[in-house]
Amino acid sequence: MQAFRTRAVGVARRARPTSLRTSRSYASESHGHHHHEAPKVEEGLGTAFYVFAGALPVSIAAYQISRPGEDGEPSSLSKWLQQFDYFNDWETRNTLRTQLFEQAAHDKHLFLNAGKSTHVELKMPELIHSGSPLAVPAGHSPNLDHVTEHYRNQAAADEERKAKKLAAVAAAAAKAAEESAAS
């Protein structure tokens, strides 16, 4: 019933005019007034037109220059470019670049496939015995005297090497001082 009532109200509303509505047409409102027109402006062709107009003959000229001559002779552009050394040694450059890339690939594979060193130097041999004696079961403490002796020998050899190097440097300095005093 509601739908019927809504439609009936809509029809009744359209049937009777509620007020005088005058529709306005803006097309014929001159009433003797002058039409206002936009001022006349001289419009140029724009930068894009001139760029295109200039690029067209330049591209045609470049095409003609780059064409090979009769009997398969190189073009004048190719002849001009061959005057520069950069364009003539391309084979050498390509060979050097290939060797460079091959060496880089070899080095990369060398570094990626190299194993890590498992050797750990101890700064002090006393660190071997730094663990808790309570964590070692009875009768299982190993004899590490040979390890301690190894590190003592290594330190002594290192000190001897340093002493020899310092003696050689001191002897060279003394000889240089003696020569400069004699001159």
Side-chain angles (χ1 to χ4, degrees):
M1 189 74 179
Q2 180 66 27
F4 177 72
R5 196 178 292 163
T6 306
R7 288 188 183 164
V9 169
V11 169
R13 190 178 301 140
R14 275 186 252 130
R16 64 176 178 185
T18 55
S19 65
L20 295 174
R21 292 184 190 167
T22 57
S23 61
R24 300 186 69 171
S25 172
Y26 296 102
S28 62
E29 271 202 35
S30 66
H31 300 296
H33 296 287
H34 298 288
H35 290 285
H36 298 285
E37 296 179 7
K40 302 283 184 195
V41 177
E42 297 275 336
E43 291 185 10
L45 295 175
T47 308
F49 173 77
Y50 293 113
V51 168
F52 177 74
L56 195 61
V58 168
S59 61
I60 292 171
Y63 176 74
Q64 291 297 328
I65 291 172
S66 66
R67 300 276 302 165
E70 291 98 24
D71 302 329
E73 63 187 23
S75 66
S76 56
L77 181 65
S78 296
K79 290 177 189 175
W80 181 69
L81 288 177
Q82 286 176 354
Q83 294 175 355
F84 301 105
D85 290 337
Y86 180 80
F87 295 104
N88 293 332
D89 60 351
W90 60 271
E91 193 171 334
T92 307
R93 276 186 288 123
N94 286 349
T95 304
L96 290 174
R97 286 180 183 162
T98 302
Q99 290 173 354
L100 176 78
F101 290 139
E102 287 174 353
Q103 184 64 40
H106 178 266
D107 293 346
K108 179 179 177 181
H109 288 296
L110 181 69
F111 288 130
L112 290 177
N113 295 326
K116 295 189 178 192
S117 175
T118 56
H119 181 68
V120 177
E121 283 291 332
L122 294 178
K123 292 186 178 182
M124 296 179 290
E126 294 80 27
L127 291 176
I128 295 172
H129 301 292
S130 64
S132 171
L134 301 176
V136 179
H140 288 85
S141 69
N143 185 5
L144 298 177
D145 291 337
H146 64 284
V147 176
T148 306
E149 189 62 33
H150 166 74
Y151 282 108
R152 282 195 185 120
N153 290 340
Q154 185 178 4
D158 195 29
E159 290 297 323
E160 184 180 339
R161 182 186 57 81
K162 289 178 186 176
K164 284 181 183 179
K165 188 175 181 181
L166 285 174
V169 169
K175 184 177 179 182
E178 184 181 302
E179 288 176 2
S180 65
S183 355

